[in-house]
PDB file of all heavy atoms in Angstrom:
ATOM      1  N   SER A  16     -73.018  24.746  -9.122  1.00  0.00           N
ATOM      2  CA  SER A  16     -72.090  24.667 -10.182  1.00  0.00           C
ATOM      3  C   SER A  16     -70.883  23.757  -9.794  1.00  0.00           C
ATOM      4  O   SER A  16     -70.272  23.993  -8.747  1.00  0.00           O
ATOM      5  CB  SER A  16     -71.576  26.035 -10.691  1.00  0.00           C
ATOM      6  OG  SER A  16     -72.685  26.754 -11.059  1.00  0.00           O
ATOM      7  N   VAL A  17     -70.552  22.861 -10.700  1.00  0.00           N
ATOM      8  CA  VAL A  17     -69.337  21.961 -10.425  1.00  0.00           C
ATOM      9  C   VAL A  17     -68.229  22.543 -11.383  1.00  0.00           C
ATOM     10  O   VAL A  17     -68.352  22.409 -12.605  1.00  0.00           O
ATOM     11  CB  VAL A  17     -69.632  20.530 -10.812  1.00  0.00           C
ATOM     12  CG1 VAL A  17     -68.373  19.653 -10.518  1.00  0.00           C
ATOM     13  CG2 VAL A  17     -70.856  20.027  -9.968  1.00  0.00           C
ATOM     14  N   LEU A  18     -67.223  23.136 -10.777  1.00  0.00           N
ATOM     15  CA  LEU A  18     -66.120  23.732 -11.561  1.00  0.00           C
ATOM     16  C   LEU A  18     -65.103  22.714 -11.997  1.00  0.00           C
ATOM     17  O   LEU A  18     -64.686  22.662 -13.169  1.00  0.00           O
ATOM     18  CB  LEU A  18     -65.437  24.819 -10.702  1.00  0.00           C
ATOM     19  CG  LEU A  18     -66.373  25.926 -10.181  1.00  0.00           C
ATOM     20  CD1 LEU A  18     -65.528  27.047  -9.571  1.00  0.00           C
ATOM     21  CD2 LEU A  18     -67.285  26.453 -11.235  1.00  0.00           C
ATOM     22  N   ARG A  19     -64.633  21.889 -11.098  1.00  0.00           N
ATOM     23  CA  ARG A  19     -63.606  20.852 -11.388  1.00  0.00           C
ATOM     24  C   ARG A  19     -63.927  19.588 -10.638  1.00  0.00           C
ATOM     25  O   ARG A  19     -64.461  19.664  -9.505  1.00  0.00           O
ATOM     26  CB  ARG A  19     -62.176  21.352 -11.071  1.00  0.00           C
ATOM     27  CG  ARG A  19     -61.777  22.748 -11.623  1.00  0.00           C
ATOM     28  CD  ARG A  19     -61.633  22.540 -13.103  1.00  0.00           C
ATOM     29  NE  ARG A  19     -60.533  21.767 -13.496  1.00  0.00           N
ATOM     30  CZ  ARG A  19     -59.221  22.208 -13.658  1.00  0.00           C
ATOM     31  NH1 ARG A  19     -58.950  23.444 -13.464  1.00  0.00           N
ATOM     32  NH2 ARG A  19     -58.292  21.391 -14.071  1.00  0.00           N
ATOM     33  N   SER A  20     -63.625  18.441 -11.213  1.00  0.00           N
ATOM     34  CA  SER A  20     -63.807  17.186 -10.507  1.00  0.00           C
ATOM     35  C   SER A  20     -62.852  16.172 -11.138  1.00  0.00           C
ATOM     36  O   SER A  20     -62.596  16.176 -12.372  1.00  0.00           O
ATOM     37  CB  SER A  20     -65.252  16.737 -10.579  1.00  0.00           C
ATOM     38  OG  SER A  20     -65.619  16.418 -11.927  1.00  0.00           O
ATOM     39  N   PRO A  21     -62.415  15.154 -10.419  1.00  0.00           N
ATOM     40  CA  PRO A  21     -61.532  14.122 -10.912  1.00  0.00           C
ATOM     41  C   PRO A  21     -62.315  13.089 -11.663  1.00  0.00           C
ATOM     42  O   PRO A  21     -63.522  13.040 -11.453  1.00  0.00           O
ATOM     43  CB  PRO A  21     -60.815  13.560  -9.667  1.00  0.00           C
ATOM     44  CG  PRO A  21     -61.842  13.772  -8.619  1.00  0.00           C
ATOM     45  CD  PRO A  21     -62.605  15.062  -8.898  1.00  0.00           C
ATOM     46  N   PRO A  22     -61.682  12.200 -12.371  1.00  0.00           N
ATOM     47  CA  PRO A  22     -62.446  11.059 -13.138  1.00  0.00           C
ATOM     48  C   PRO A  22     -63.208  10.171 -12.168  1.00  0.00           C
ATOM     49  O   PRO A  22     -64.153   9.565 -12.498  1.00  0.00           O
ATOM     50  CB  PRO A  22     -61.307  10.385 -13.834  1.00  0.00           C
ATOM     51  CG  PRO A  22     -60.207  11.308 -13.926  1.00  0.00           C
ATOM     52  CD  PRO A  22     -60.281  12.200 -12.737  1.00  0.00           C
ATOM     53  N   SER A  23     -62.750  10.087 -10.896  1.00  0.00           N
ATOM     54  CA  SER A  23     -63.423   9.209  -9.968  1.00  0.00           C
ATOM     55  C   SER A  23     -64.785   9.661  -9.469  1.00  0.00           C
ATOM     56  O   SER A  23     -65.637   8.911  -8.902  1.00  0.00           O
ATOM     57  CB  SER A  23     -62.528   8.930  -8.747  1.00  0.00           C
ATOM     58  OG  SER A  23     -62.287  10.115  -8.066  1.00  0.00           O
ATOM     59  N   VAL A  24     -65.103  10.923  -9.787  1.00  0.00           N
ATOM     60  CA  VAL A  24     -66.403  11.488  -9.323  1.00  0.00           C
ATOM     61  C   VAL A  24     -67.092  11.873 -10.599  1.00  0.00           C
ATOM     62  O   VAL A  24     -66.608  12.647 -11.466  1.00  0.00           O
ATOM     63  CB  VAL A  24     -66.245  12.700  -8.449  1.00  0.00           C
ATOM     64  CG1 VAL A  24     -67.554  13.389  -8.115  1.00  0.00           C
ATOM     65  CG2 VAL A  24     -65.473  12.410  -7.182  1.00  0.00           C
ATOM     66  N   VAL A  25     -68.361  11.335 -10.798  1.00  0.00           N
ATOM     67  CA  VAL A  25     -69.088  11.513 -11.977  1.00  0.00           C
ATOM     68  C   VAL A  25     -70.285  12.434 -11.790  1.00  0.00           C
ATOM     69  O   VAL A  25     -71.237  12.115 -10.999  1.00  0.00           O
ATOM     70  CB  VAL A  25     -69.554  10.187 -12.569  1.00  0.00           C
ATOM     71  CG1 VAL A  25     -70.440  10.386 -13.812  1.00  0.00           C
ATOM     72  CG2 VAL A  25     -68.449   9.258 -12.847  1.00  0.00           C
ATOM     73  N   PHE A  26     -70.248  13.602 -12.471  1.00  0.00           N
ATOM     74  CA  PHE A  26     -71.425  14.558 -12.554  1.00  0.00           C
ATOM     75  C   PHE A  26     -71.994  14.444 -13.935  1.00  0.00           C
ATOM     76  O   PHE A  26     -71.217  14.654 -14.880  1.00  0.00           O
ATOM     77  CB  PHE A  26     -71.067  15.933 -12.127  1.00  0.00           C
ATOM     78  CG  PHE A  26     -70.897  16.119 -10.643  1.00  0.00           C
ATOM     79  CD1 PHE A  26     -69.629  16.032 -10.037  1.00  0.00           C
ATOM     80  CD2 PHE A  26     -71.961  16.356  -9.813  1.00  0.00           C
ATOM     81  CE1 PHE A  26     -69.431  16.269  -8.725  1.00  0.00           C
ATOM     82  CE2 PHE A  26     -71.803  16.551  -8.505  1.00  0.00           C
ATOM     83  CZ  PHE A  26     -70.494  16.495  -7.884  1.00  0.00           C
ATOM     84  N   ARG A  27     -73.284  14.291 -14.082  1.00  0.00           N
ATOM     85  CA  ARG A  27     -73.867  14.125 -15.449  1.00  0.00           C
ATOM     86  C   ARG A  27     -74.418  15.472 -15.911  1.00  0.00           C
ATOM     87  O   ARG A  27     -74.905  16.263 -15.074  1.00  0.00           O
ATOM     88  CB  ARG A  27     -75.024  13.161 -15.413  1.00  0.00           C
ATOM     89  CG  ARG A  27     -74.580  11.755 -14.977  1.00  0.00           C
ATOM     90  CD  ARG A  27     -75.823  10.798 -15.151  1.00  0.00           C
ATOM     91  NE  ARG A  27     -75.455   9.427 -14.829  1.00  0.00           N
ATOM     92  CZ  ARG A  27     -75.783   8.838 -13.647  1.00  0.00           C
ATOM     93  NH1 ARG A  27     -76.421   9.526 -12.770  1.00  0.00           N
ATOM     94  NH2 ARG A  27     -75.400   7.561 -13.433  1.00  0.00           N
ATOM     95  N   ASP A  28     -74.238  15.741 -17.148  1.00  0.00           N
ATOM     96  CA  ASP A  28     -74.785  16.965 -17.785  1.00  0.00           C
ATOM     97  C   ASP A  28     -76.246  16.966 -17.863  1.00  0.00           C
ATOM     98  O   ASP A  28     -76.806  16.011 -18.498  1.00  0.00           O
ATOM     99  CB  ASP A  28     -74.131  17.224 -19.118  1.00  0.00           C
ATOM    100  CG  ASP A  28     -74.382  18.605 -19.683  1.00  0.00           C
ATOM    101  OD1 ASP A  28     -74.934  19.402 -18.955  1.00  0.00           O
ATOM    102  OD2 ASP A  28     -73.962  18.836 -20.781  1.00  0.00           O
ATOM    103  N   GLY A  29     -76.946  17.865 -17.274  1.00  0.00           N
ATOM    104  CA  GLY A  29     -78.393  17.932 -17.335  1.00  0.00           C
ATOM    105  C   GLY A  29     -78.947  19.077 -16.434  1.00  0.00           C
ATOM    106  O   GLY A  29     -78.168  19.758 -15.819  1.00  0.00           O
TER     107      GLY A  29
END
Side-chain angles (χ1 to χ4, degrees):
S16 302
V17 181
L18 306 188
R19 305 292 294 269
S20 64
S23 60
V24 178
V25 177
F26 285 96
R27 300 189 181 98
D28 190 2

